[in-house]
Amino acid sequence: MPGRIRAEVVAAVKERTPIEDVVREHVTLRQGGVGSMKGLCPFHDEKSPSFNVRPQLGVWHCFGCGEGGDVISFVQKVDHLTFSEAVERLADRAGIPVEYEEGGAPRRREDVGRRTRLVEAGRVAEQWYAEQLASSPEAVPGRRFLSERGFDREAAARFTVGFAPRSGEALTKHLRDKGFTDDEIVTAGLAARGSRGLYDRFRGRLMWPIHDVTGDCVGFGARRIFDDDRIEAKYLNTSETPLFKKSQVLYGLDLAKRAVAGQRQAVVVEGYTDVMACHLAGVDTAVATCGTAFGTDHIKVVRRLMRDDDDVYPAEVVFTFDGDAAGQKAALRAFGEDQRFVSQTYVAVEPNGLDPCELRQQHGDEAVRQLVASKVPLFEFAIATTIARFDLNTAVGRVQALRAAAPVVAQIKDRSLRPEYARRLAGHVGIDVEEARRAVAAAGRAAEQSGNRAGGPSERRPGFELEPAAPDQVVERPVLPRPDPRDPTVAMERQLLQCVLQAPWVLDTDEFDALGEDAFTAEMHRVVHSAVRSLGGLAEAGQGWHERVAAEVPDDARSYVTDLTVSELPVISEEGLSRLGASLQVEIAQRDLVRRERDVHSRMQRLDAAGDAVGYMAALREAQVLVERRRALAARTD
């Protein structure tokens, strides 16, 4: 076995390898003073640059985490290599023959470090897959798939798209012929072991090679193209390997890194073909995740390249998501990580739900560029998506929408924008501006207190639900609370329901049945009122009336119906009962009409904000009808 690498080889590698060029493959550097360059450290998360490189001395040091060294130690640490592997990689890059102290001969290929061997296996597989797509008759469906999406042979070659034959052993045989061991082939994620030996991990699929930021092939994404494929998943990715960590790699980053650094922009799309479409359309900052959500480690990679440390001239991250529920969920998840960026975050959603690949195919390159140009701040999209979950035509829905959306506004990084978006929130929900501002301020205080208790920024925004409960999730209904008779309004409602159950003949049937479903404020009273409505209204009252109402309410409300039926009313004569019923009915009807007027005015406010003139006029007429009804009621009591 060869011994240590000769000292003169190590010295030559250091001398002939500009450290700044190697570091720039991972970090965007800028001048930091005389003879110094600086950027965001690749070894710990930071918002202000503390990572320094001194090219003339060939050294680097981070004042944040304390790490430092020369070009060899940097490659060791960033790529998780041994000393010998790092020297070999840099020597190969500089064209320096590697000699060893024992015998002076270069190491045989099979003796080279494991990572180097795995990278080489990936490179050989990438080249072989691409050759199969270009020439194999079996790959015709794959070539057709690409052509139908607007990708010709030149585009496929640019992204080295390939094809995995269906035989199940072709790649394994090819790699063995190239000198790779079974252990290396399996460890690289290119094959798996079965009862009959090795079989190819990917079979009968289109193949996209996934490269790390330096350009090494570390894994593959594979798409199903045959209907009889026994594996139904549309996409398969390389399993976790020493090279491939899906939470840390971004498809297309090796091609996009210079543009990302130069333009200080990253466009995050959802699929491999979307990356291809964007780059071919001129959006060369596009990248995509590989089988996972855009997460913390991806953010670190992008931030280092964009030099995301300038809040005066911030960089920008643009997320493109489908307009469907899954896309909205992905956008909300991305907003949950927004505070990790100094840069401005945006979202670009095509109105018809087209992804960049479909958009380019149907409308051309310019449409893709326009999609990115039409971006809106991510927090705007998050606010609109959050509000859309609630029924703004009800008071409860508006309160819930305000509670859910206020924390989103409170987390807008640019504090000067918060008052304006609080005003917009009020318009969208249909509430008073001051009420929205108070809710935003309270949400901001809650977030700060949560962060202080946790010893740092809160990982999850208070009140901001990223994922609503699953539709099939069973949620137990809480026990109905007993109404508080000390509340004058509640007491009035109770007496009216007593009249409904004990003496319905003293009430105006039409007027009572015209009450809205939210006419009663106490939840228990709304349940009883709903039961009356479900039976056909007060007009259906007759023999066995209170028993029928009791049968319509939930079990925990039946005793209260009995209570309403037997409790005495504060009158001693039939005439007094009639006067009490009439006055209660008018008072509660008037309150109901006032509430419904507020609801309509809230809807008018939202329609006005949305520029819907037709809807606004229809709501205005509805409001006028309610006002006339309320005036007519008031005239009856004069």
Side-chain angles (χ1 to χ4, degrees):
M1 292 289 291
R4 295 168 57 187
I5 299 175
R6 289 184 179 274
E8 55 267 30
V9 174
V10 175
V13 166
K14 292 181 181 179
E15 181 180 348
R16 291 165 57 178
T17 305
I19 188 171
E20 65 273 25
D21 290 348
V22 175
V23 172
R24 276 198 181 103
E25 293 180 349
H26 303 272
V27 179
T28 298
L29 297 173
R30 62 179 176 179
Q31 289 301 127
V34 179
S36 177
M37 308 181 81
K38 66 192 307 184
L40 294 173
C41 180
F43 306 122
H44 81 286
D45 198 16
E46 61 179 3
K47 289 194 174 181
S48 298
S50 58
F51 181 86
N52 285 254
V53 177
R54 298 184 70 85
Q56 290 183 340
L57 300 178
V59 298
W60 60 276
H61 181 78
C62 177
F63 291 97
C65 64
E67 295 285 348
D70 56 24
V71 67
I72 297 174
S73 66
F74 179 83
V75 173
Q76 279 185 260
K77 188 169 180 63
V78 80
D79 287 327
H80 308 288
L81 304 179
T82 65
F83 177 82
S84 295
E85 290 171 340
V87 174
E88 287 164 351
R89 173 181 286 197
L90 292 171
D92 182 64
R93 172 186 179 129
I96 301 171
V98 179
E99 296 181 351
Y100 300 85
E101 291 183 354
E102 292 183 13
R107 285 204 280 183
R108 295 176 302 166
R109 176 172 292 274
E110 58 267 28
D111 292 330
V112 177
R114 184 180 70 161
R115 187 186 192 283
T116 303
R117 291 290 289 161
L118 299 182
V119 168
E120 179 68 6
R123 185 194 66 78
V124 171
E126 174 184 1
Q127 181 180 2
W128 186 79
Y129 282 141
E131 291 171 353
Q132 301 308 303
L133 178 65
S135 60
S136 172
E138 190 183 13
V140 169
R143 294 194 287 269
R144 184 186 307 119
F145 175 94
L146 293 171
S147 177
E148 289 172 351
R149 286 156 180 76
F151 303 123
D152 56 18
R153 284 178 175 266
E154 184 179 345
R158 175 176 171 180
F159 293 90
T160 56
V161 183
F163 172 76
R166 308 191 77 180
S167 67
E169 297 177 354
L171 176 65
T172 297
K173 182 179 184 301
H174 178 72
L175 291 172
R176 283 170 173 164
D177 291 344
K178 292 293 185 180
F180 292 97
T181 67
D182 285 6
D183 283 346
E184 289 170 339
I185 298 171
V186 171
T187 304
L190 299 170
R193 284 190 169 89
S195 59
R196 298 181 181 179
L198 296 195
Y199 60 90
D200 292 350
R201 170 82 168 86
F202 304 107
R203 303 176 298 281
R205 291 190 170 234
L206 267 180
M207 304 296 293
W208 279 266
I210 301 168
H211 301 93
D212 65 13
V213 71
T214 68
D216 287 338
C217 179
V218 296
F220 291 90
R223 194 195 192 282
R224 188 176 193 262
I225 56 173
F226 293 104
D227 292 338
D228 61 347
D229 191 331
R230 288 184 299 175
I231 301 176
E232 294 186 0
K234 181 185 290 187
Y235 282 97
L236 293 176
N237 289 304
T238 297
S239 302
E240 294 278 310
T241 72
L243 299 183
F244 184 76
K245 311 291 182 187
K246 65 182 180 180
S247 65
Q248 299 174 6
V249 295
L250 290 166
Y251 176 73
L253 188 61
D254 58 312
L255 301 174
K257 64 182 180 182
R258 292 190 182 278
V260 169
Q263 299 176 37
R264 301 190 66 219
Q265 179 199 65
V267 176
V268 182
V269 298
E270 293 194 300
Y272 306 122
T273 55
D274 293 333
V275 172
M276 293 176 67
C278 284
H279 280 253
L280 293 171
V283 182
D284 51 1
T285 57
V287 296
T289 57
C290 304
T292 187
F294 189 80
T296 303
D297 288 333
H298 297 125
I299 291 171
K300 292 178 182 178
V301 173
V302 171
R303 289 192 64 235
R304 290 197 301 268
L305 288 175
M306 290 194 309
R307 201 174 73 249
D308 182 33
D309 56 16
D310 189 342
D311 55 2
V312 178
Y313 300 102
E316 62 180 39
V317 179
V318 183
F319 296 94
T320 67
F321 297 111
D322 295 342
D324 58 12
Q328 292 179 5
K329 181 177 176 181
L332 293 180
R333 187 185 296 111
F335 181 73
E337 299 287 352
D338 176 69
Q339 294 297 310
R340 297 183 184 274
F341 286 104
V342 174
S343 58
Q344 296 293 332
T345 51
Y346 299 88
V347 63
V349 177
E350 205 281 326
N352 298 313
L354 300 179
D355 60 37
C357 179
E358 296 167 333
L359 187 62
R360 176 176 178 268
Q361 182 184 355
Q362 295 183 24
H363 302 290
D365 293 347
E366 179 60 26
V368 177
R369 295 192 290 271
Q370 284 299 318
L371 171 66
V372 176
S374 67
K375 63 186 184 295
V376 297
L378 182 56
F379 58 76
E380 279 192 16
F381 185 81
I383 291 169
T385 302
T386 301
I387 291 173
R389 289 165 35 202
F390 302 96
D391 181 3
L392 301 182
N393 291 315
T394 68
V396 172
R398 290 193 294 275
V399 170
Q400 291 174 336
L402 177 62
R403 287 175 179 171
V408 182
V409 179
Q411 293 295 328
I412 296 175
K413 288 194 293 284
D414 188 343
R415 291 176 177 269
S416 65
L417 292 176
R418 293 180 189 175
E420 169 62 16
Y421 279 92
R423 185 187 67 77
R424 294 191 187 187
L425 174 61
H428 291 317
V429 176
I431 57 172
D432 182 71
V433 173
E434 284 305 313
E435 184 179 358
R437 287 176 176 165
R438 286 194 299 270
V440 169
R445 289 192 297 271
E448 290 175 1
Q449 292 169 2
S450 175
N452 291 336
R453 286 194 299 270
S458 176
E459 290 296 319
R460 181 168 180 167
R461 300 161 192 270
F464 185 61
E465 279 297 329
L466 298 181
E467 299 183 21
D472 57 350
Q473 182 177 346
V474 177
V475 179
E476 292 187 3
R477 181 180 60 80
V479 175
L480 287 169
R482 299 280 291 191
D484 184 358
R486 294 171 297 180
D487 184 321
T489 300
V490 171
M492 188 187 313
E493 294 173 358
R494 175 183 167 84
Q495 288 183 358
L496 179 60
L497 290 176
Q498 284 180 268
C499 291
V500 168
L501 292 168
Q502 297 181 32
W505 58 86
V506 304
L507 301 176
D508 185 317
T509 300
D510 292 337
E511 195 63 56
F512 182 85
D513 290 344
L515 291 175
E517 61 182 14
D518 293 327
F520 292 84
T521 61
E523 185 176 1
M524 183 74 80
H525 292 165
R526 287 198 297 272
V527 167
V528 177
H529 179 225
S530 176
V532 172
R533 288 163 60 94
S534 68
L535 290 170
L538 202 60
E540 298 299 317
Q543 188 173 5
W545 172 236
H546 72 273
E547 287 95 342
R548 283 189 283 146
V549 173
E552 283 292 315
V553 300
D555 291 346
D556 54 352
R558 287 177 184 163
S559 64
Y560 190 72
V561 172
T562 301
D563 183 6
L564 293 173
T565 305
V566 301
S567 295
E568 292 185 1
L569 285 162
V571 292
I572 56 175
S573 66
E574 188 75 20
E575 182 180 356
L577 182 60
S578 297
R579 285 198 301 269
L580 175 64
S583 64
L584 290 171
Q585 190 166 358
V586 169
E587 179 64 27
I588 290 178
Q590 285 184 323
R591 292 179 182 229
D592 180 45
L593 290 170
V594 169
R595 178 195 58 75
R596 289 161 70 180
E597 284 178 45
R598 284 200 304 266
D599 289 347
V600 174
H601 290 155
S602 172
R603 193 179 345 133
M604 291 168 62
Q605 191 175 352
R606 298 194 302 276
L607 292 167
D608 187 40
D612 185 350
V614 175
Y616 181 87
M617 292 306 299
L620 177 61
R621 289 190 292 272
E622 184 180 345
Q624 290 170 339
V625 170
L626 293 172
V627 170
E628 289 302 320
R629 286 187 58 194
R630 182 165 53 81
R631 287 175 178 170
L633 272 177
R636 287 170 50 182
T637 60
D638 291 343

